[in-house]
Every structure is written in C-alpha cells, then in structure tokens.
Amino acid sequence: MDKQKIVIVGAGIVGACMAYHLAKRNQDVTVIERHPAAAREVTEKSFAWIHTTHRVAPEYWHLYDAAVEEYHTLQQELSELEIHWHGALTWDTPPLREQHRSQKLNREQLEALEPNLKEYPDEAIFVSEEGAVDPIAVTELLLSKAQAYGARIQFGTNVTELQQEGSSLVGVHTSKGFVESDIVVLATGTGTPELCNPLGCHVPVTSSPSILIRMKTANKLIHTLISNAQFEARQLTDYTLLAAEDYIDESEENGPEAVGKRAFDTLRRSLKYGNQLELESIQVGWRPMPEDGYPIVGFQDHIQGLYLTVMHSAITLAPLIAHLSASEIIDGESRNELDPCRLSRF
C-alpha cells in the first residue's frame, strides 16, 4: 500500500495510539488537537485502570483478553513506558467476568498485600495481571514516538468541518486552514457526533461523566489498585493517590465537589496514616459512551476515507484497537477481531 495522508483528529490516548501505529508503518500522519497539549480532555481525568475483567458481552471478551498482552508488547517496544503491574484487588462488588484470571485471598493474605488498611474483608478477589498507567505520560510518549517516525502534530488547532466531495472525504477545515487527507481518523470522543452529523452520519455517542480525585501523600499507602463498595483508589506515584467516583449530579449535596470530598474523607478514615492525605484536585471527565457501551471502530460504510475510533474504556483498549485499526487502514483488509465494533450494528 502506498503512503497515505492520514489526519488524526484528537490527541488523547486513542489518537496517540493511532498516530504511533500508523507512523511506525510509514504513513503520512498529521495529528490535530484543539488544546495546547496532549491528553487534555478525558484522558487526563482517567483513573487509567487496565481493567480486563469487565462484565462485558461474550462477543467482546477477546478484546479484553488481548488488551494486557498488547500492553506488554508495547512495553517491550518502548522501554520508557512505565506500567504499574501491581494487580487489582476487589471486594463487595459484582462478580468478575472470568474467574480463571482471578484468585481469592483470605484476610491474612490481604493484610500482607495491603498493610495500610484499617479494616479487611474476610475474602477478596485479586487479579494479578491487571495494571494502571499515568495516562498523560503514556499519551505524550506515544506522540513523541510517532513524531520520531515522521508524524506532525498541530496543537491549538480546532477542526471545524470535515470536507466531503462526492462520497469521499478529502480533508478537514481547521482554525488554521485546510488540511488535505486520504483518510480522516476521528479520535474525538464525545465530539465525534458533532463532526459526523453534517455528513449525514449518526454516531450514537453520549457523555458519561466520572470524577477523579487527586491527593498528595507523604509516602505510599496503597500497593495494588483497590476497588470496593467504599472506595476505588490507587497510587499514581509514591506521593500521589488517585480515587475514582461515579458522577451523580450538579447539586450542592451530590455535585462533583461534594462527592470528591466524601471520597477524600473515606480514604482518610480507611487508611493507616490517612490523616496525612491532602486533597489536591477534583475533576470531572466526560467519557465517550457509545449507546450500547461498546467501542465503535472502523470505516464508515457510506463515506470513503472516514475512520471512527470511539471507545470506553479507552485506557484498556486503545493500544490493541489502534494496532488492529492501523492494520485495516494500511493493509486494506478488515480485521475480524473488530467486527463487533462496527457502526453498522446500530
């Protein structure tokens, strides 16, 4: 396949993964991002759990099964890529999708694994293969590697319209002028419908907000990633603790600030030395959520040159899906692994 002009709109984790895989295979890649830096939308507000045991429909199991292996492959390619393979510990939550990936730990084992909890359940589930990343660092690393392979990145540039001639896309109009393309990859999350609607292409994606709470710690208090009915938390670094909470509404009682402060108080009570925690920030991330909860990936059937990449959870799936998508775009052959992800299912 000849070198193609590929415009990627969006420089979050999905756009960065796409840029890396496409540029590595000698495509002419331009990434356009409206913010002045990468990962400034939902990516930076992600809890960034590589969560392979979601309760998902069987036709998507293979993607989650392959997600961890893809991260290990990426880590072998990029020695600078730091992934915290500390495993995930859960209790008082719905059962995991696949029991063969998990092990049951008793109270004594839990105390050895997480010595800083004040209270322990009698039993918990541990998935040793799961991990977590610094989402901003990963995104920036992938983009820098894409640049090393020749990709261009335009920050502070807003894509205003996709230009269609006949049944084909020919480029994108931006706040800094027109950029010609053979293929446009939309890695725009919740902004995807706005760009696609004028083309008569309906992409059923809505916003699913979540809350990320960042805290300073004097030293490392959590060794794995812990998810239970009281809190969901992990160490980002030895001196930064992250917690994730569900968004409720914008009221004074249940708005993000109130939810974040309750989570902060819960961790102060639940951890030995929790009184050392300092609240740093409470942020809302507007995750792109396809109508049925599963990724929308692939070429649009009626508009030549338009490739969609919308997914949750992007941290878990982006490296794998970008690898498969790059293969589709460059080799011109559909990857059957992505068949359940097509827009045509709606």
Side-chain angles (χ1 to χ4, degrees):
M1 173 76 67
D2 292 335
K3 183 181 284 195
Q4 302 174 94
K5 292 180 182 176
I6 301 174
V7 172
I8 300 169
V9 186
I13 184 67
V14 178
C17 286
M18 291 297 300
Y20 171 73
H21 281 291
L22 289 166
K24 186 173 72 167
R25 293 194 57 189
N26 197 37
Q27 300 301 292
D28 182 348
V29 175
T30 301
V31 180
I32 302 176
E33 168 57 51
R34 64 178 181 151
H35 291 283
R40 289 300 178 262
E41 288 279 352
V42 69
T43 297
E44 75 166 348
K45 302 170 187 74
S46 170
F47 189 55
W49 178 1
I50 303 171
H51 192 347
T52 63
T53 42
H54 283 288
R55 298 181 72 191
V56 298
E59 59 265 38
Y60 296 94
W61 284 357
H62 65 285
L63 294 175
Y64 288 89
D65 289 342
V68 164
E69 185 180 342
E70 187 67 33
Y71 263 107
H72 283 295
T73 300
L74 202 56
Q75 206 167 20
Q76 288 170 359
E77 292 177 13
L78 307 174
S79 59
E80 311 96 313
L81 177 57
E82 188 174 352
I83 304 176
H84 304 289
W85 295 115
H86 302 321
L89 196 58
T90 61
W91 65 90
D92 296 337
T93 59
L96 298 171
R97 170 175 67 88
E98 293 179 279
Q99 294 303 322
H100 78 265
R101 290 182 177 272
S102 58
Q103 59 188 117
K104 289 183 179 179
L105 302 185
N106 60 32
R107 186 188 177 102
E108 185 179 346
Q109 291 170 311
L110 293 174
E111 290 181 14
L113 194 60
E114 289 291 358
N116 292 324
L117 293 177
K118 286 184 178 177
E119 295 181 2
Y120 295 89
D122 293 329
E123 186 178 84
I125 300 295
F126 184 56
V127 185
S128 60
E129 70 161 14
E130 294 192 335
V133 295
D134 179 333
I136 298 174
V138 171
T139 302
E140 290 177 342
L141 174 63
L142 288 164
L143 286 173
S144 72
K145 294 299 181 181
Q147 284 179 296
Y149 283 118
R152 296 172 298 280
I153 304 176
Q154 296 182 13
F155 288 116
T157 306
N158 192 36
V159 171
T160 55
E161 186 184 356
L162 306 181
Q163 180 64 46
Q164 184 178 2
E165 288 185 4
S167 61
S168 301
L169 281 190
V170 295
V172 299
H173 293 279
T174 81
S175 53
K176 295 182 179 177
F178 182 73
V179 182
E180 186 183 352
S181 70
D182 296 310
I183 292 169
V184 175
V185 176
L186 290 186
T188 43
T190 57
T192 304
E194 184 180 352
L195 286 171
C196 289
N197 284 341
L199 305 175
C201 171
H202 175 61
V203 184
V205 174
T206 56
S207 298
S208 173
S210 63
I211 301 170
L212 185 73
I213 305 101
R214 186 181 292 253
M215 291 153 273
K216 292 179 182 176
T217 108
N219 39 50
K220 193 171 186 176
L221 300 180
I222 295 176
H223 298 275
T224 63
L225 183 153
I226 300 177
S227 177
N228 59 48
Q230 284 74 46
F231 64 86
E232 190 168 275
R234 71 177 184 93
Q235 296 279 162
L236 178 65
T237 69
D238 286 353
Y239 306 105
T240 303
L241 191 72
L242 297 181
E245 289 291 331
D246 291 332
Y247 177 94
I248 302 174
D249 55 41
E250 287 292 334
S251 68
E252 187 173 343
E253 182 183 358
N254 288 318
E257 242 355 81
V259 170
K261 286 176 179 174
R262 286 200 292 268
F264 172 64
D265 290 339
T266 297
L267 282 162
R268 283 174 65 89
R269 290 193 307 270
S270 301
L271 297 170
K272 296 172 186 174
Y273 317 110
N275 59 351
Q276 297 177 2
L277 289 174
E278 294 178 41
L279 183 59
E280 190 174 327
S281 65
I282 299 168
Q283 295 178 295
V284 178
W286 297 90
R287 302 171 297 186
M289 190 64 67
E291 190 176 275
D292 60 2
Y294 297 112
I296 299 173
V297 183
F299 283 108
Q300 208 279 346
D301 290 341
H302 307 296
I303 304 169
Q304 190 174 340
L306 175 59
Y307 197 94
L308 303 172
T309 57
V310 189
M311 68 200 75
H312 176 75
S313 152
I315 293 294
T316 299
L317 295 175
L320 173 67
I321 285 183
H323 191 179
L324 296 171
S325 296
S327 174
E328 290 196 323
I329 290 168
I330 298 166
D331 302 327
E333 295 180 4
S334 293
R335 296 294 301 250
N336 58 13
E337 299 98 319
L338 294 174
D339 284 352
C341 302
R342 305 307 185 192
L343 177 63
S344 56
R345 73 181 184 269
F346 294 102

